[in-house]
Amino acid sequence: MVASPTRLSSPATLRLALLAPDIAGNVGTLMRLAACLGVALDLIEPLGFPFSDKKLARAGLDYADLAQVTRHADWPAFLECLPGRLIAIETSAAVRLDAAAFLPGDTLLLGAESSGLPDWALARADLAVRLPMLAGRRSLNVAIAAAMTLSEALRQVNGWPSEG
């Protein structure tokens, strides 16, 4: 289900946001992650694939209808709805994930798989975080990076969903 862009009434939950994603399968995977953990997902256009792409549906399985997904026409439209801090996840960030402090209401922003976040998006972030990796490695898959960062953020804000 795709919701229209609106400001959240409660900033207590964390959000994931993807700026101009270009691999449908990764977006589908993140839709499934968002549905399973009760985290909203913001997709900031342009998308590098049709939203009806078969790879998106295959990766999201039947979880896509359970996810709270909001599509934003562009960056300014996304910023109008931002409920709290913007946390950029980028390989060039100065702060390591294990040193970052997350707060309820944070939105975790990731860029396109092929190019990462542009400088203007990084400049808008309240905090930029990187995942530590061995020397000589360029980057992780965007869905993996999002899941790792979201896991740590949920742990810090005591935001894991109740089971059952």
Side-chain angles (χ1 to χ4, degrees):
M1 170 179 262
V2 178
S4 60
T6 57
R7 181 174 290 278
L8 293 180
S9 58
S10 170
T13 52
L14 297 169
R15 299 178 72 85
L16 283 174
L18 300 174
L19 177 58
D22 50 14
I23 298 178
N26 285 335
V27 174
T29 298
L30 289 171
M31 288 172 70
R32 185 175 182 177
L33 178 71
C36 288
L37 298 181
V39 174
L41 177 63
D42 294 285
L43 300 177
I44 307 158
E45 300 205 23
L47 305 181
F49 53 88
F51 194 70
S52 60
D53 191 293
K54 289 179 185 177
K55 293 175 186 169
L56 177 74
R58 186 176 334 131
L61 294 176
D62 56 345
Y63 291 89
D65 289 339
L66 300 174
Q68 180 190 343
V69 179
T70 304
R71 288 173 62 189
H72 303 274
D74 54 27
W75 179 251
F78 165 71
L79 291 178
E80 287 177 20
C81 302
L82 189 65
R85 297 188 314 165
L86 185 63
I87 311 299
I89 313 304
E90 181 60 48
T91 58
S92 64
V95 178
R96 287 171 47 116
L97 176 62
D98 53 355
F102 296 95
L103 299 172
D106 283 351
T107 298
L108 310 178
L109 175 69
L110 296 102
E113 294 87 344
S114 61
S115 59
L117 288 170
D119 289 341
W120 49 264
L122 283 169
R124 170 54 182 84
D126 297 292
L127 175 66
V129 176
R130 79 173 186 283
L131 290 140
M133 293 183 292
L134 293 173
R137 278 46 170 201
R138 286 190 324 266
S139 65
L140 293 164
N141 171 280
V142 71
I144 297 294
M148 291 173 66
T149 307
L150 180 60
S151 176
E152 175 60 16
L154 287 169
R155 184 192 68 79
Q156 286 188 24
V157 304
N158 196 26
W160 285 99
S162 299
E163 296 178 87

